[in-house]
């Protein structure tokens, strides 16, 4: 174990990243709307193109040594979009599950969803659950899809559950530390992301994996998500491997 691995905080279980490439990559897939607009098309056209990119990037992760991929598909703030766009996105998620389920299962991808399911339509929630069950035995790639997810909301929900355990005597308040709280997060089984990528030239985190990305490297690229290719992805991963991560320690 390297010095970095030894001091690497984890929000969940698992060991540190293999030397070189990132073990866990998280992506804020931004720019679908602008991509569609530039072509004189409705925003949903961009989201559909974005969905095809998800498939392409999922496919190349095992080859690139990425074990965990987490994508931001719908935020707790995205409900503010028009009803038509929200409905279109929900339909797109359902179509993705129907179309990709078999390939995901056969390609060894384990799918998980994070976010608050309470506000999602029951049909979609059921499909999400079925896909999780269908792929539960896989481990070539751990794909996590964030739907109705917000970092602050996740911490608030985690805190609520933790407070309930304190109230019912299952947890001593004196034992609560960062590791304890992490166990109540949606991501409790995942290692922290090593690299967070945001497309479309915006340099914001937008409430994505706030707790988990405390020590992540960030990469902001100008490419709009529907134009994001495996070649661009490979270039970013190579750039990451050249960086030095110290996790608060000094180099050497
Ligand atoms: C941000 O672009 C993108 C979204 C809010 C939706 C992301 C959804 C997908 C990529 C569709 C498929 C996903 C899965 C998992 C099947 P934006 O609309 O904010 O773009 P803009 O900033 O150019 O308006």
């Amino acid at each position: 174990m390297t010095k970095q691995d030894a001091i690497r905080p984890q929000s969940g279980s698992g060991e540190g990243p293999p030397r070189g490439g990132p073990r866990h990559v998280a992506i804020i897939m931004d720019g679908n709307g602008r991509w569609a607009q530039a072509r004189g098309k409705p925003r949903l056209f961009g989201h559909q193109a974005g969905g095809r990119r998800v498939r392409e990037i999922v496919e190349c992760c095992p080859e690139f040594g990425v074990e965990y991929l987490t994508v931001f598909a719908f935020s707790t703030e995205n409900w503010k979009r028009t009803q038509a766009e929200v409905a279109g996105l929900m339909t797109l998620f359902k179509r993705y599950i129907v179309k990709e389920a078999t390939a995901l299962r056969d390609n060894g991808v384990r799918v998980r969803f994070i976010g608050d399911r309470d506000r999602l339509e029951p049909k979609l929630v059921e499909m999400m659950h079925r896909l999780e069950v269908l792929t539960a035995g896989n481990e070539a790639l751990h794909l996590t899809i964030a739907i109705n997810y917000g970092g602050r909301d996740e911490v608030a929900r985690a805190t609520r559950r933790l407070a309930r355990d304190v109230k019912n005597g299952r947890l001593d308040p004196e034992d609560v530390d960062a590791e304890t709280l992490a166990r109540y997060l949606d991501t409790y089984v995942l290692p922290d992301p090593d690299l967070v990528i945001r497309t479309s030239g915006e340099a914001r985190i937008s409430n994505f994996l706030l707790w988990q990305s405390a020590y992540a490297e960030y990469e902001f690229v100008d490419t709009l998500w529907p134009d994001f290719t495996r070649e661009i992805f490979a270039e970013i991963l190579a750039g990451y491997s050249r960086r030095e991560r110290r996790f608060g320690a000094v180099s050497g």
Side-chain angles (χ1 to χ4, degrees):
M1 188 186 263
T2 64
K3 183 163 108 189
Q4 289 188 352
D5 289 341
I7 58 172
R8 179 172 188 263
Q10 294 282 327
S11 67
S13 61
E15 297 154 15
R19 208 163 299 175
R23 182 183 188 207
H24 183 176
V25 177
I27 306 182
I28 302 173
M29 309 179 289
D30 198 10
N32 295 346
R34 276 164 284 166
W35 187 89
Q37 249 167 357
R39 285 157 182 78
K41 302 277 192 186
R43 295 176 59 81
L44 214 49
F45 183 74
H47 294 315
Q48 285 159 355
R52 291 192 287 276
R53 287 306 179 191
V54 173
R55 184 195 312 155
E56 183 177 332
I57 296 308
V58 164
E59 274 170 13
C60 64
C61 277
E63 184 191 327
F64 290 170
V66 173
E67 293 173 54
Y68 293 82
L69 176 70
T70 300
V71 293
F72 204 1
F74 193 90
S75 77
T76 44
E77 288 72 37
N78 284 155
W79 297 106
K80 293 179 200 147
R81 298 187 175 204
T82 65
Q83 212 193 338
E85 185 173 350
V86 170
L89 277 165
M90 296 302 152
T91 302
L92 192 60
F93 300 145
K94 284 185 277 187
R95 279 208 195 120
Y96 176 83
I97 293 173
V98 170
K99 275 179 72 180
E100 299 298 318
T102 309
L104 290 164
R105 183 197 62 195
D106 295 348
N107 293 333
V109 180
R110 178 168 188 170
V111 183
R112 294 182 179 90
F113 293 90
I114 55 170
D116 186 356
R117 299 184 193 199
D118 286 355
R119 201 174 162 182
L120 301 175
E121 61 171 293
K123 169 90 183 146
L124 173 60
V125 174
E126 188 198 321
M127 292 170 78
M128 287 158 54
H129 176 67
R130 281 189 187 199
L131 185 59
E132 287 177 326
V133 172
L134 180 75
T135 60
N138 287 342
E139 42 189 42
L141 172 69
H142 296 263
L143 170 65
T144 303
I145 303 175
I147 298 184
N148 193 25
Y149 174 86
R152 287 183 173 179
D153 179 67
E154 180 191 31
V155 172
R157 285 186 287 107
T159 307
R160 199 179 308 141
R161 288 195 290 265
L162 186 151
R164 278 192 206 121
D165 278 353
V166 168
K167 192 176 168 193
N168 64 30
R170 270 205 287 247
L171 185 65
D172 183 343
E174 299 310 316
D175 290 339
V176 176
D177 56 14
E179 210 179 290
T180 316
L181 181 54
R183 284 203 298 272
Y184 287 84
L185 295 173
D186 295 351
T187 53
Y188 67 99
V189 290
L190 307 177
D192 286 343
D194 304 297
L195 173 66
V196 179
I197 299 170
R198 182 173 188 146
T199 58
S200 91
E202 311 285 352
R204 288 191 297 274
I205 304 171
S206 297
N207 208 5
F208 188 44
L209 301 178
L210 290 181
W211 175 282
Q212 300 85 344
S213 59
Y215 289 89
E217 296 285 323
Y218 281 90
E219 188 67 40
F220 299 102
V221 291
D222 288 338
T223 313
L224 304 175
W225 175 250
D227 290 328
F228 192 85
T229 58
R230 54 181 284 146
E231 288 76 22
I232 298 171
F233 191 38
E235 220 173 278
I236 293 173
L237 298 181
Y240 170 93
S241 306
R242 291 192 290 271
R243 296 187 193 180
E244 182 195 20
R245 300 179 72 203
R246 294 200 298 273
F247 304 98
V250 290
S251 28

